[in-house]
Amino acid sequence: MAPKTRAQLAEALRKRDVPDEAAGKVLDRFVELGLINDEAFAEAWVDSRHHGRGLAKRALAAELRHRGVDTETVKEAVERLDSDQEAETARRLVDRKLASTRSLDSQTRTRRLAGMLARKGYSSGLAYRVIREALEQEGIDLEDDFS
């Protein structure tokens, strides 16, 4: 069983018709014993999903909120990723996808690469900067296409 947040465990107990008062006491005790730790869960989630799937801060924050992690814990966990690290991950993702788009025109390539980065939570500014750098290394000037 994968690690769960307090909110996920509370929902599981609710689905099994465990009274809220009893569930609260059990969950409080689990927190005391260190068996539930939303902060550690959030940090591990950010590390795993950023390095494994290349997700950006925005996507990571949405996933953590969806799992019931409180806003402050989410903020602390995603702030551990610095902007340089996020940009480098975006570059790696673009480099990996670039070869499969070589037969396409530069506007289509840009659109597909930007879409891929957007789905992973990257801002449009960072996405276009990284894409422009990658295409310029191939000798393609995007300014001509978007003028």
Side-chain angles (χ1 to χ4, degrees), residues 90-122:
R91 280 186 198 92
R92 249 185 307 116
L93 291 168
V94 166
D95 288 345
R96 217 175 10 210
K97 181 95 171 149
L98 210 54
S100 68
T101 65
R102 286 218 168 85
S103 64
L104 305 171
D105 64 88
S106 60
Q107 286 184 350
T108 304
R109 291 176 86 184
T110 301
R111 195 172 50 249
R112 288 192 184 176
L113 293 167
M116 179 261 306
L117 290 175
R119 287 187 296 278
K120 292 187 177 285
Y122 291 91

Side-chain angles (χ1 to χ4, degrees), residues 11 13 21 30 36 41-42 44 50-51 55 62 73 75-76 80 88 102 121 127 133:
E11 181 61 28
L13 291 172
E21 186 178 327
F30 282 0
I36 300 174
F41 174 88
H50 178 74
H51 296 296
L55 298 182
T73 303
K75 183 179 175 184
E76 289 173 10
R80 293 179 55 232
E88 185 54 39
R102 286 218 168 85
E133 291 169 2

Side-chain angles (χ1 to χ4, degrees), residues 106-107 140-147:
S106 60
Q107 286 184 350
I140 299 169
D141 186 14
L142 287 183
E143 296 303 322
D144 295 340
D145 291 337
F146 291 100
S147 309

Side-chain angles (χ1 to χ4, degrees), residues 20-123:
D20 289 342
E21 186 178 327
K25 287 180 181 180
V26 168
L27 294 173
D28 288 343
R29 182 68 176 143
F30 282 0
V31 169
E32 285 176 30
L33 295 173
L35 298 173
I36 300 174
N37 185 336
D38 283 357
E39 291 83 8
F41 174 88
E43 286 179 18
W45 187 266
V46 166
D47 288 342
S48 171
R49 302 287 282 178
H50 178 74
H51 296 296
R53 303 256 334 227
L55 298 182
K57 289 179 184 181
R58 185 172 48 187
L60 293 165
E63 287 186 349
L64 287 170
R65 282 192 299 274
H66 178 72
R67 282 160 180 73
V69 178
D70 69 88
T71 304
E72 188 59 34
T73 303
V74 169
K75 183 179 175 184
E76 289 173 10
V78 297
E79 288 304 317
R80 293 179 55 232
L81 289 177
D82 64 22
S83 57
D84 292 338
Q85 187 178 10
E86 197 172 38
E88 185 54 39
T89 301
R91 280 186 198 92
R92 249 185 307 116
L93 291 168
V94 166
D95 288 345
R96 217 175 10 210
K97 181 95 171 149
L98 210 54
S100 68
T101 65
R102 286 218 168 85
S103 64
L104 305 171
D105 64 88
S106 60
Q107 286 184 350
T108 304
R109 291 176 86 184
T110 301
R111 195 172 50 249
R112 288 192 184 176
L113 293 167
M116 179 261 306
L117 290 175
R119 287 187 296 278
K120 292 187 177 285
Y122 291 91
S123 70

Side-chain angles (χ1 to χ4, degrees), residues 125-140:
L126 173 62
Y128 283 109
R129 187 180 76 220
V130 168
I131 294 165
R132 175 177 283 122
E133 291 169 2
L135 291 178
E136 284 175 354
Q137 286 179 353
E138 290 187 354
I140 299 169

